[in-house]
Amino acid sequence: MKRRKTQAELDNLKKGKATQFTSETARENGRKGGYAAAEANRRRKAVAEYVCQIGAAPVQDDEQRQILAELGITDEVVQNDAMIAAGLYYEARSGNVTAIEKWEEMVDRVEGQAFENLTSADDRALALARAHYLENINSSFGAISVYALKHRYTHYEASGGRGSGKSSWASLTVVRLVMENPDVHALVLRKVGNTLRDSVYSQYLWAIEQLGVSEFWEARKSPLELIYLPTGQKILFRGADDPMKIKSIKMKFGYIGITHFEEKDQFSGRAEIDSILQSTMRGGPVFWNFETYNPPRSKDNWANKDSEEEKKNRVQHRSTYLDLDDPEWLGEAFYEEAESLRERDEGRYQHEYLGVPVGTGGSVFENLELRVITDEELSRFDHIFQGVDWGWFPDPYAFVRLHYDKTRETIYLIDEHFGNRISNEQGAGWILEHGYNDVQTVCDSADPKSIADYRSQGIRAKEAVKGPNSVEYGMKWLQNRTIVIDKRRTPHAYEEFVNYEFEKNRADEWISGYPDKNNHTIDAVRYALERVSNKFGSKA
């Protein structure tokens, strides 16, 4: 068994500092820890015996006995543990969130002890889910978990930075709610359908496994859905880019009572989400709607502004990786990376890890360094990448050459070739004339003929791998690096990066999708750096 970390070590982990131990220190700490653990176990055992004695003692107070009688407990000899349970019940019924959680824990323990006596698959599955739910929920989500399970609200919003546990909480809660409500099905949505399988679908498979109920669920991939075998209930996965598939959903029984919008900020605005809810929230008595997301950089983004509005029947939760009960869940490397970013770039750290909107407008790239790149700097560049975005007319052809400083996470744009009606022969010739065939050129894979033309002319051309969600992943990666642009060297890249903005919806709100226009050098840069930025590409 691994040595448990001390509180000081856990505090250091949260600060991103790993405590180093020599082998001798570790052995000494192990001996001390063993003595301390034995003493602690002895004390806990003594306290437990004392608690059991008190609980088994008869209730002496007549007023307390009267309260128990109101609950139907009229035995001549009533013990104190019944009085404790009754007090907890009254506190929970009055709305005390902590008491509700404790009551549920107590019920789960009782059901867990009686598990062997359960005969139906539904009862056994639900007992397992209840027994494992709280142990997988971070304590910071305690109140909102209770609200959801008791249906205190209809709308539940969870936002936060990386590693905050919001998506894990939502998936665990949705799975349990489906199992506890036999007429209810769930619909999980992302803006783009082809991102579902590798993201939120996998997240729900994880949740089912963590709840210990995998044997009671069937996972299907065409279409993407999870089926609760004891009842036939389903968790469906759909993309909002095909609204007809959402409107045409028909369940054989029951109704869609639960919706989960993952990456809420990627949707076009509140109106799009409300339109989907109007199609799904019908045919049943109760509904739950979950919305999870990382707050966008811009404070003016519609998702951030929507979060600031006071809305009836909605509860909100904000969390960060610092709120986790067990820092080891993320690992030391995560905290070291977070602390390293905090020291290098406080603004990026605030946004990426704490979920704070640090931007003020609609610019996609707020990380630009617009200045002269000197010849002396250029002479030191040795980590060169090149990319091509194919075009003819009206879309232009774009070639970009750049240097990436991995240590400082900084991109330097060195040169470009840009224009309309540039033939493959001309483009390849320009690369050769400038001596730029010293490295591979990663090209948009949408035009294999052009890639073949480049290769036939001796260019070391390689098709981009792309893959599900690669555009969003690559763009976010670029947004989190400093990009140095010298207008004299790359004028067209300068214009595109400086003027590239998020689009607005009809309500004049910024939305998070990346516009597919005036982004040709941007795409070329993204292709060039695919092997270091894109999880679907090869590693550098």
Side-chain angles (χ1 to χ4, degrees):
M1 181 178 294
K2 293 177 61 178
R3 179 180 65 81
R4 294 181 61 84
K5 284 183 166 51
T6 65
Q7 186 59 48
E9 291 174 66
L10 294 178
D11 291 341
N12 281 334
L13 272 177
K14 287 189 175 183
K15 297 175 183 176
K17 299 176 181 177
T19 304
Q20 301 297 322
F21 291 90
T22 65
S23 58
E24 181 57 35
T25 301
R27 285 193 294 271
E28 179 61 23
N29 286 345
R31 286 192 291 270
K32 292 179 180 178
Y35 299 146
E39 177 61 20
N41 285 333
R42 187 193 65 76
R43 288 197 301 269
R44 279 195 295 269
K45 185 177 180 181
V47 171
E49 291 175 352
Y50 180 60
V51 168
C52 289
Q53 290 174 8
I54 294 175
V59 174
Q60 301 293 334
D61 188 280
D62 291 338
E63 184 178 350
Q64 292 179 348
R65 293 174 64 86
Q66 179 60 36
I67 292 174
L68 290 172
E70 292 177 8
L71 290 173
I73 302 175
T74 56
D75 295 347
E76 184 173 344
V77 178
V78 183
Q79 297 175 338
N80 281 327
D81 51 8
M83 188 66 240
I84 295 170
L88 184 62
Y89 171 78
Y90 274 103
E91 284 292 313
R93 198 172 69 172
S94 69
N96 184 307
V97 171
T98 301
I100 295 173
E101 291 182 77
K102 295 299 182 183
W103 179 263
E104 177 141 320
E105 288 178 5
M106 184 176 68
V107 171
D108 286 345
R109 284 197 298 272
V110 172
E111 290 182 343
Q113 293 169 359
F115 179 75
E116 296 300 327
N117 298 323
L118 299 176
T119 55
S120 79
D122 191 17
D123 287 342
R124 292 172 66 84
L126 192 52
L128 281 170
R130 287 175 172 170
H132 291 295
Y133 178 77
L134 285 176
E135 67 188 42
N136 285 286
I137 295 294
N138 193 59
S139 62
S140 68
F141 288 90
I144 195 173
S145 298
V146 171
Y147 294 149
L149 295 173
K150 305 301 179 183
H151 198 263
R152 294 286 185 85
Y153 301 88
T154 297
H155 301 278
Y156 302 83
E157 179 187 277
S159 63
R162 288 182 56 190
S164 61
K166 54 191 178 299
S167 295
S168 298
W169 165 77
S171 58
L172 289 162
T173 304
V174 169
V175 170
R176 178 170 168 181
L177 285 173
V178 169
M179 296 174 66
E180 291 189 346
N181 296 273
D183 290 330
V184 169
H185 305 271
L187 174 63
V188 183
L189 303 111
R190 285 200 65 176
K191 175 63 177 177
V192 180
N194 65 9
T195 63
L196 289 164
R197 181 172 174 177
D198 295 320
S199 58
V200 68
Y201 179 73
S202 297
Q203 176 68 55
Y204 272 77
L205 289 175
W206 170 88
I208 288 171
E209 182 179 355
Q210 293 301 111
L211 292 175
V213 293
S214 296
E215 65 180 291
F216 301 97
W217 286 84
E218 178 185 348
R220 292 183 180 177
K221 295 182 179 179
S222 184
L224 282 182
E225 58 184 25
L226 300 170
I227 303 174
Y228 183 44
L229 298 175
T231 61
Q233 292 166 268
K234 294 183 177 182
I235 300 177
L236 310 174
F237 299 83
R238 296 290 187 273
D241 52 344
D242 193 349
M244 293 307 298
K245 285 189 177 181
I246 298 174
K247 292 183 179 180
S248 63
I249 294 175
K250 296 290 187 295
M251 310 309 299
K252 291 184 178 180
F253 69 92
Y255 65 102
I256 297 175
I258 303 170
T259 46
H260 175 195
F261 292 84
E262 173 73 341
E263 302 290 357
K264 159 188 167 178
D265 60 300
Q266 296 298 317
F267 290 81
S268 300
R270 185 76 250 168
E272 181 179 23
I273 291 179
D274 288 343
S275 176
I276 293 173
L277 292 177
Q278 288 170 6
S279 299
T280 59
M281 283 190 168
R282 56 189 181 186
V286 292
F287 297 91
W288 292 263
N289 174 49
F290 296 84
E291 298 174 9
T292 54
Y293 72 107
N294 287 28
R297 289 180 63 90
S298 173
K299 296 176 183 177
D300 293 329
N301 185 280
W302 79 266
N304 289 330
K305 294 173 72 174
D306 178 73
S307 181
E308 292 173 357
E309 294 182 15
E310 291 290 335
K311 293 187 178 181
K312 293 182 178 180
N313 213 11
R314 179 175 77 172
V315 62
Q316 296 169 295
H317 183 275
R318 292 178 175 83
S319 58
T320 75
Y321 73 102
L322 297 173
D323 298 321
L324 294 179
D325 298 326
D326 182 8
E328 290 189 349
W329 186 71
L330 292 173
E332 294 184 15
F334 182 96
Y335 289 90
E336 290 172 354
E337 182 181 351
E339 180 65 12
S340 174
L341 181 60
R342 187 189 66 79
E343 293 175 351
R344 296 194 318 272
D345 189 333
E346 178 69 25
R348 274 184 56 198
Y349 168 78
Q350 290 278 334
H351 172 246
E352 191 171 338
Y353 284 91
L354 302 186
V356 178
V358 295
T360 57
S363 296
V364 174
F365 296 104
E366 296 180 331
N367 53 336
L368 303 180
E369 191 173 313
L370 308 175
R371 64 169 177 82
V372 171
I373 298 176
T374 67
D375 291 339
E376 183 182 357
E377 283 182 290
L378 190 62
S379 68
R380 297 196 299 267
F381 292 163
D382 57 359
H383 206 191
I384 306 300
F385 298 84
Q386 295 178 167
V388 163
D389 184 48
W390 303 113
W392 179 253
F393 184 84
D395 288 336
Y397 162 90
F399 165 93
V400 173
R401 181 178 172 91
L402 60 90
H403 162 72
Y404 177 50
D405 185 336
K406 185 177 180 180
T407 301
R408 297 172 179 81
E409 295 189 340
T410 301
I411 300 165
Y412 298 82
L413 302 192
I414 298 172
D415 204 350
E416 68 176 31
H417 188 206
F418 186 96
N420 290 120
R421 296 187 172 90
I422 295 176
S423 68
N424 292 339
E425 183 179 0
Q426 290 172 323
W430 188 92
I431 293 173
L432 293 171
E433 289 170 9
H434 285 73
Y436 289 165
N437 202 30
D438 54 336
V439 297
Q440 279 189 332
T441 299
V442 183
C443 309
D444 182 1
S445 57
D447 190 350
K449 180 182 180 301
S450 292
I451 296 174
D453 286 347
Y454 265 38
R455 288 172 176 166
S456 69
Q457 296 179 68
I459 301 299
R460 298 168 60 186
K462 178 182 182 296
E463 65 274 9
V465 177
K466 296 186 177 181
N469 216 27
S470 61
V471 174
E472 179 184 339
Y473 189 93
M475 290 295 287
K476 285 186 175 180
W477 189 88
L478 289 177
Q479 286 177 286
N480 286 320
R481 269 75 190 164
T482 299
I483 304 176
V484 181
I485 306 178
D486 184 340
K487 190 174 183 178
R488 303 172 308 161
R489 298 181 183 275
T490 55
H492 295 94
Y494 178 95
E495 292 297 325
E496 287 194 351
F497 275 91
V498 168
N499 296 307
Y500 193 60
E501 289 190 339
F502 293 108
E503 292 182 319
K504 288 187 174 183
N505 57 21
R506 293 182 180 180
D508 199 38
E509 301 167 324
W510 297 107
I511 59 179
S512 294
Y514 299 106
D516 190 18
K517 59 184 179 181
N518 300 323
N519 61 337
H520 311 288
T521 61
I522 295 171
D523 282 346
V525 170
R526 186 165 55 82
Y527 298 143
L529 289 164
E530 182 185 64
R531 68 189 176 97
V532 295
S533 68
N534 195 330
K535 62 183 177 181
F536 299 103
S538 58
K539 295 182 178 179

